[in-house]
Amino acid sequence: MSAYDAIARLYDPWSVSVVEDVEFYVDLARESGGPVVELGAGTGRIAVPTAAAGIRVIGVDSSRRMLEVCAEAAAQAGVAALLDLRVGDLRDPPVAERVPLVTCPFRAFLHLHDDDERLRAFCAARELLLPGGTLAFDVFAPGADDVAETHGRWLEREPGIFERANWDVERRVLTLSVRGPSGESTMKLAWLDPDDWRALLERAGFDVVAHYGWFDCRPYRGGEDSVWVAVRRER
Ligand SMILES: C[S@@+](CC[C@H](N)C(=O)[O-])C[C@H]1O[C@@H](n2cnc3c(N)ncnc32)[C@H](O)[C@@H]1O
């Protein structure tokens, strides 16, 4: 069971205001020509608009229920034929194809809890890529203000949907709970400093070609959000 199964019907209303990254990932997919492997594809927030742009997407997710919602959204958008959804772990994705672009949008790599898991995921992503192919993903590391404002409090993120963040700053682990009319769940997210993400990418055989501070491609200047674009290094 994935922690997301219980909130598969809550996920879209919960994340309804998260729209800033869609164009970024769809543009990358278009530039790559596809197909794209999206790790942690979820309900298709990015995968469905990518398919709507005419790009084939192989979506991998450990939550069968999230992928069920994704399949419904794809059918509704008339793009089901371009979406190939597979239940599986992003550390060992069930994908034999080789592609020009692998993405992992909206912080899904934070579900990995130590460097062994992260390295495994990066190496697996590298294996999926054609020579010169690109891995793109985003993560965050909280600022002290954010931690102070939100720690241990139930906050209404969207009407009727509440979330509570418990920050363990020393261990760099966020325990995030969400509850709403159609489900509730608690999950752990582990963050790193940007230098640590960069070091892991390099160890896994990537060259970092861009590290942005937001999806409009502004340079990273020390904020909470990190958007990474790395290319497969040929050894
Ligand atoms: C924050 S959601 C992002 C979903 C989607 N990419 C988006 O942008 O809305 C994280 C997704 O990663 C999936 N996930 C978490 N750990 C995973 C793992 N080890 N393997 C595959 N999927 C995983 C969850 O089931 C969830 O659908």
Side-chain angles (χ1 to χ4, degrees):
M1 271 291 272
S2 154
Y4 280 85
D5 283 337
I7 52 163
R9 299 281 160 192
L10 189 65
Y11 182 83
D12 286 341
W14 181 30
S15 60
V16 68
S17 61
V18 183
V19 291
E20 59 275 359
D21 52 354
V22 179
E23 197 183 339
F24 174 82
Y25 285 110
V26 173
D27 283 351
L28 279 180
R30 246 198 231 104
E31 283 160 24
S32 80
V36 177
V37 173
E38 184 181 335
L39 302 171
T43 59
R45 203 179 55 80
I46 305 284
V48 170
T50 303
I55 305 296
R56 196 164 94 78
V57 181
I58 300 169
V60 175
D61 203 286
S62 52
S63 166
R64 187 177 297 277
R65 299 247 178 282
M66 292 286 276
L67 290 184
E68 283 169 6
V69 177
C70 184
E72 287 169 21
Q76 215 164 31
V79 297
L82 285 172
L83 265 181
D84 177 349
L85 303 176
R86 304 182 190 178
V87 178
D89 195 300
L90 58 80
R91 290 163 294 185
D92 187 16
V95 179
E97 295 88 335
R98 295 298 173 256
V99 297
L101 176 66
V102 173
T103 63
C104 188
F106 202 21
R107 306 164 170 185
F109 279 144
L110 297 187
H111 290 292
L112 304 173
H113 292 134
D114 59 40
D115 281 354
D116 286 348
E117 292 192 2
R118 295 176 190 113
L119 260 183
R120 231 178 107 194
F122 283 167
C123 289
R126 187 178 180 281
E127 282 302 309
L128 298 179
L129 286 170
L130 292 164
T134 299
L135 169 67
F137 65 97
D138 60 279
V139 287
F140 80 96
D145 288 1
D146 194 23
V147 172
E149 273 166 32
T150 60
H151 182 72
R153 301 170 54 207
W154 281 104
L155 299 170
E156 191 169 21
R157 166 81 178 252
E158 296 295 338
I161 303 177
F162 294 83
E163 67 180 37
R164 184 185 61 196
N166 281 325
W167 304 97
D168 183 338
V169 174
E170 205 167 306
R171 289 177 50 236
R172 297 196 289 195
V173 175
L174 161 64
T175 305
L176 183 65
S177 299
V178 57
R179 65 174 195 229
S182 54
E184 60 181 81
S185 192
T186 294
M187 57 191 80
K188 287 200 187 296
L189 301 164
W191 72 89
L192 292 179
D193 291 335
D195 285 350
D196 301 326
W197 286 112
R198 182 183 292 274
L200 286 171
L201 281 166
E202 286 171 358
R203 272 176 70 191
F206 284 99
D207 288 325
V208 173
V209 292
H211 176 206
Y212 301 122
W214 193 240
F215 299 98
D216 58 6
C217 300
R218 73 186 71 161
Y220 179 76
R221 297 209 191 284
E224 297 195 347
D225 293 283
S226 263
V227 184
W228 295 88
V229 182
V231 295
R232 180 187 149 121
R233 187 192 316 128
E234 299 313 316
R235 294 181 169 131

